[in-house]
Amino acid sequence: MNHSLIDAWRSDFPILQSRIHDRTLVYLDNAATTQKPSAVIQAINDYYSTTNANVHRGVYSLGQQATDLFENTREAVRKFIGATSTSEIIFTKSATESINLVASSYGEVHFSAGDEIILTMMEHHANIIPWQEISKKKGCTIKVVPIQQDGTLDIEAYKNLFTSKTKFVSMVWVSNAIGVENPISDFIRIAHDHNVPILIDASQRIQHANIDVQKEDCDFLVFSGHKVYGPSGTGILYGKEHLLEYLPPYQSGGDMIKKVTFEKTTFADLPSKFEAGTPNIEGFIGLGAALQYLQSIGLDEIAKHESMLMNFAIEALRSLDFISILGYNGTNVSAISFVMDTVHPHDIASILDKKGICVRAGHHCAHPLMQFYKVPSTTRISFAMYSTVDEIEVCIKELKEIYTLFS
Ligand code: PMP
């Protein structure tokens, strides 16, 4: 990859110039959150400096400008994921809230006692607990697609989980814990063969390669803005219009109504029906700037660079006989989880921190997957568009030193 191109990308992210413990920052926790380019920081700053007003309310021009900026992001998201209409793009505060919305509202009208919901063994807790909660309320059962040692979901077992009681499938596209990318086209086709809708958690996919919800035929798709170089507190729920249309609101209050009396309320049309209260205006304006920034670079370019990083890191880690990589099947996208003989992941992460290197140690909000691998936690390194081979080399050198120190 062209070094000057990556240097140019890096110069768009002010935080990468920071020093931590007097070392150059090496940020390898991008699956937790991505850093923000100047375009995003500037868009938020500009909004507060020049355009701040509440949205969807003011007849005055400042309010209209704020509304236009905010709604421009809805159109940017629509284009980014290939949705048909902006009515299908619901603004939430996070991927977590988007999944809660679907589990609660879809479950409320469509689930009843004895129904079954299919999840997979590699889900983030955000895609487990909302389904457990609605299951408790409605008397549903959760079934789980098993996983193989290399992180591949067992698609034959998945086919066999369907019964006449299956009402919903919800699954992750790319695992945050091990980085495996699931063949969602196959999973979606199989769900649809059984007339069952499916939600795709794209939180770890949206930032790494192009997405086309129509081509994939996703019924619902969710992600968080902060993982795609945008601000925290922004989330997206995409849903097919005919499915969203019949769901009850998730929350209620201002900005989501047509008419209110003390006897009765009629709700606004999509997408407002699901957006009660003053939203994270500056956050969504920032998210629009992030998507525009990514499109100016091209996700294909980013995917090429990240794939090179992944191959380099896997080879380097595999050459270390004291490291075991968990869940690598060759599809992995920008995240590698591993354990080191004799050294606890938290010790690794704390020592790396002293060298200015940020990595994640823990269960990655994926307890069931950790139980499958019989480990309490792992160390995870995860890349973004601005990550470099040099950063991976620095990290690997320090890992060798940590192992020597502990043995
Ligand atoms: N799903 C996956 C795969 C994730 O990686 C995450 C965040 N780690 C979430 C859901 C939840 O995202 P958020 O905390 O931004 O709501």
Side-chain angles (χ1 to χ4, degrees):
M1 196 80 189
N2 180 341
H3 276 277
S4 57
L5 182 63
I6 306 305
D7 286 346
W9 292 356
R10 287 180 69 80
S11 70
D12 292 333
F13 292 81
I15 202 172
L16 298 179
Q17 309 307 319
S18 309
R19 291 182 73 77
I20 304 282
H21 301 303
D22 212 24
R23 303 273 188 130
T24 307
L25 170 66
V26 173
Y27 185 73
L28 293 175
D29 194 18
N30 294 284
T33 198
T34 49
Q35 300 302 346
K36 317 306 169 199
S38 303
V40 170
I41 300 165
Q42 191 63 44
I44 296 170
N45 193 38
D46 286 351
Y47 165 70
Y48 275 128
S49 308
T50 65
T51 326
N52 179 46
N54 211 329
V55 290
H56 306 143
R57 288 161 174 79
V59 285
Y60 49 86
S61 52
L62 200 62
Q64 193 51 51
Q65 283 167 28
T67 303
D68 290 347
L69 278 178
F70 178 77
E71 287 298 328
N72 286 348
T73 295
R74 205 182 303 276
E75 171 57 16
V77 173
R78 184 201 67 73
K79 261 176 68 187
F80 200 77
I81 64 170
T84 318
S85 145
T86 47
S87 302
E88 299 179 321
I89 309 297
I90 313 297
F91 288 167
T92 65
K93 72 176 164 62
S94 57
T96 300
E97 188 175 53
S98 299
I99 298 171
N100 273 278
L101 190 163
V102 177
S104 167
S105 292
Y106 190 93
E108 185 59 40
V109 285
H110 293 289
F111 296 170
S112 49
D115 285 345
E116 296 166 356
I117 299 157
I118 298 179
L119 308 176
T120 85
M121 188 57 107
M122 63 169 81
E123 298 311 317
H124 188 281
H125 296 161
N127 198 26
I128 299 175
I129 306 165
W131 302 106
Q132 281 176 341
E133 291 300 304
I134 189 74
S135 294
K136 273 195 278 182
K137 193 167 160 198
K138 293 283 183 164
C140 306
T141 306
I142 289 173
K143 290 180 151 184
V144 182
V145 183
I147 189 175
Q148 293 157 6
Q149 206 60 33
D150 69 354
T152 306
L153 288 177
D154 185 341
I155 199 157
E156 290 308 313
Y158 169 62
K159 288 179 189 163
N160 291 330
L161 290 180
F162 284 87
T163 71
S164 59
K165 293 280 188 190
T166 309
K167 282 292 164 63
F168 207 89
V169 179
S170 193
M171 69 178 290
V172 74
W173 195 335
V174 170
S175 159
N176 65 304
I178 51 177
V180 160
E181 174 163 10
N182 295 312
I184 59 141
S185 311
D186 297 335
F187 279 79
I188 292 172
R189 186 175 32 75
I190 292 163
H192 289 170
D193 285 347
H194 292 87
N195 284 324
V196 172
I198 178 164
L199 179 149
I200 300 297
D201 176 359
S203 302
Q204 298 292 345
R205 177 57 165 59
I206 187 78
Q207 62 284 53
H208 298 304
N210 287 308
I211 279 185
D212 186 330
V213 288
Q214 286 189 72
K215 198 168 120 233
E216 297 293 350
D217 203 15
C218 301
D219 297 303
F220 298 99
L221 178 133
V222 305
F223 63 90
S224 282
H226 70 92
K227 293 192 200 272
V228 64
Y229 307 101
S232 313
T234 59
I236 298 296
L237 165 63
Y238 159 80
K240 284 181 181 164
E241 196 164 347
H242 74 95
L243 293 172
L244 290 173
E245 198 77 61
Y246 295 102
L247 300 190
Y250 176 57
Q251 292 179 338
S252 47
D255 220 21
M256 50 79 74
I257 53 91
K258 273 186 185 146
K259 186 167 170 53
V260 181
T261 65
F262 278 109
E263 289 69 41
K264 183 173 173 339
T265 294
T266 46
F267 301 121
D269 294 330
L270 292 173
S272 307
K273 181 174 75 169
F274 292 110
E275 295 179 6
T278 299
N280 181 356
I281 304 170
E282 72 280 20
F284 284 102
I285 289 170
L287 178 60
L291 299 184
Q292 199 181 7
Y293 171 75
L294 286 179
Q295 267 165 341
S296 74
I297 288 188
L299 274 152
D300 288 341
E301 286 299 305
I302 293 172
K304 247 191 279 170
H305 173 60
E306 291 180 348
S307 152
M308 180 277 294
L309 293 175
M310 177 56 110
N311 293 337
F312 179 84
I314 283 286
E315 285 313 309
L317 286 168
R318 275 184 167 165
S319 71
L320 306 178
D321 58 6
F322 51 88
I323 296 265
S324 310
I325 297 169
L326 297 185
Y328 179 74
N329 68 2
T331 66
N332 303 53
V333 181
S334 290
I336 306 174
S337 238
F338 61 87
V339 289
M340 187 189 284
D341 293 350
T342 69
V343 192
H344 194 281
H346 284 112
D347 291 331
I348 297 174
S350 306
I351 296 170
L352 289 179
D353 172 54
K354 297 287 178 294
K355 312 286 180 179
I357 305 170
C358 306
V359 303
R360 174 55 60 92
H363 52 64
H364 316 296
C365 297
H367 276 165
L369 188 65
M370 296 296 113
Q371 283 152 20
F372 169 78
Y373 282 115
K374 299 191 172 54
V375 292
S377 57
T378 74
T379 306
R380 180 188 70 191
I381 57 174
S382 53
F383 318 122
M385 58 182 286
Y386 41 69
S387 305
T388 65
V389 164
D390 288 352
E391 289 182 314
I392 296 167
E393 279 178 331
V394 168
C395 180
I396 301 248
K397 174 175 157 291
E398 297 298 342
L399 289 175
K400 286 181 190 164
E401 287 186 11
I402 291 170
Y403 183 67
T404 309
L405 184 74
F406 275 76
S407 55

